[in-house]
Amino acid sequence: MKIMKLIIQNNLSNHNEEIKWYLSSQIIWIGKAKDFKEVEKLKKTSYGSFEWLWSDADTILFNKEDLSFTGAVIKLAEPIKVIKKNIDLKMIEEKNGTIKLTEKKNFNSKLSYIAEYYSREDTMISYSKTWDKLERVILVNMTGNFSFVLQNNEMVGFVLKNASKHIISDDIHMDEGIGVVESDFALQLSAFLELVEMMESDIHEIEESELKKSFIRIYDEILSHEGTNYVALRDTILNVIDYMD
């Protein structure tokens, strides 16, 4: 495997609207590209990992001219693990800025070997097999909410704060507007993700029936909310129920 080496540039962006979490497909979309066609165009002028789109690896893009990061499409590992205790990441140094390649070449990368949602802090952490939790890492704050995790100058994961605020439906783009997210949305999202986790285990028919009722209960609780986040969660719940039928 070709190793991706990175350096940090001191250039913080506050454009949190460039981070999108498509809930139904469980894709984290980073950057200004709005659809796969735009990503395909960017690939022609970029170095990076080009294996995702319709497979399990990631698409991470760096501009060929200055080697700076331009965007990424990351498929989250499923099911997402819901963790109710506080985040306990040690050996971390934080820096504000962006990242760029140190040399011109492509590489392989999968940042979502494990995906964890910390419900108390409304934070998503996704990381690869190569992240050694006992060794020092650098958290590169790309925006106010999104950070890449670097270890030994390699990208090994990412952290998304206020994760529920970035959720949208698969057929909506962030520039169409963000609805107001109420304080209990993270709890409803957490409850949904926990139910999805349960679906992955071997269950009897009566247990599946109870799961379906629980999904419907969450759907009813958010039915009156108009924010894009609530729309995305309702759409995803309906997709799951259809899958279960």
Side-chain angles (χ1 to χ4, degrees):
M1 185 194 308
K2 294 180 179 179
I3 301 300
M4 166 184 51
K5 292 295 184 180
L6 302 163
I7 58 176
I8 301 170
Q9 288 183 309
N10 198 11
N11 179 23
L12 177 65
S13 167
N14 286 313
H15 298 297
N16 287 326
E17 67 273 10
E18 294 180 5
I19 314 298
K20 302 175 278 288
W21 177 4
Y22 290 103
L23 190 61
S24 287
S25 56
Q26 292 298 7
I27 295 171
I28 298 291
W29 198 284
I30 307 158
K32 297 179 180 180
K34 294 182 180 180
D35 52 39
F36 288 113
K37 290 183 179 180
E38 290 191 16
V39 172
E40 290 290 353
K41 290 180 180 179
L42 283 174
K43 285 166 64 173
K44 297 176 182 179
T45 59
S46 303
Y47 294 112
S49 64
F50 303 135
E51 296 184 10
W52 191 78
L53 296 189
W54 305 116
S55 67
D56 288 334
D58 301 314
T59 294
I60 304 170
L61 305 170
F62 293 84
N63 185 275
K64 282 186 176 180
E65 291 187 2
D66 61 7
L67 304 184
S68 62
F69 173 80
T70 55
V73 182
I74 300 170
K75 180 73 168 66
L76 293 171
E78 298 181 78
I80 297 169
K81 297 182 179 181
V82 177
I83 300 178
K84 295 184 178 180
K85 62 182 181 181
N86 291 335
I87 299 172
D88 184 23
L89 296 179
K90 300 176 181 178
M91 301 288 288
I92 285 182
E93 177 185 354
E94 290 195 49
K95 294 185 177 182
N96 296 334
T98 187
I99 53 178
K100 63 184 297 184
L101 289 174
T102 59
E103 54 185 299
K104 297 180 178 181
K105 67 179 181 180
N106 291 319
F107 55 88
N108 296 323
S109 180
K110 185 174 182 180
L111 297 185
S112 193
Y113 173 66
I114 294 177
E116 300 171 339
Y117 178 67
Y118 289 79
S119 56
R120 286 184 181 179
E121 297 164 278
D122 191 19
T123 297
M124 172 74 68
I125 297 180
S126 180
Y127 53 94
S128 69
K129 292 181 181 180
T130 59
W131 185 350
D132 185 347
K133 294 295 185 69
L134 299 178
E135 297 294 329
R136 173 179 171 272
V137 296
I138 296 176
L139 208 63
V140 185
N141 299 319
M142 306 280 287
T143 74
N145 286 341
F146 183 85
S147 307
F148 277 121
V149 181
L150 270 56
Q151 189 169 61
N152 299 321
N153 297 326
E154 296 178 36
M155 188 186 295
V156 296
F158 69 83
V159 176
L160 177 61
K161 299 177 182 178
N162 297 311
S164 64
K165 294 183 179 180
H166 296 272
I167 288 176
I168 55 177
S169 294
D170 284 20
D171 59 350
I172 296 178
H173 296 302
M174 189 64 82
D175 57 8
E176 294 181 27
I178 305 173
V180 176
V181 181
E182 297 184 14
S183 58
D184 62 347
F185 181 78
L187 297 177
Q188 293 159 335
L189 172 64
S190 177
F192 166 77
L193 293 175
E194 286 182 299
L195 292 175
V196 173
E197 280 189 274
M198 293 179 190
M199 286 181 62
E200 298 297 318
S201 62
D202 294 329
I203 57 176
H204 300 294
E205 185 64 31
I206 187 170
E207 292 174 328
E208 183 173 317
S209 175
E210 290 302 315
L211 277 174
K212 188 180 294 186
K213 289 180 181 178
S214 297
F215 279 120
I216 294 172
R217 189 177 303 117
I218 298 174
Y219 182 90
D220 290 339
E221 288 175 355
I222 63 174
L223 187 58
S224 61
H225 298 280
E226 298 181 355
T228 54
N229 316 70
Y230 294 98
V231 173
L233 183 52
R234 287 198 298 270
D235 289 349
T236 307
I237 289 173
L238 292 178
N239 290 340
V240 172
I241 292 174
D242 287 342
Y243 173 81
M244 296 175 72
D245 287 336

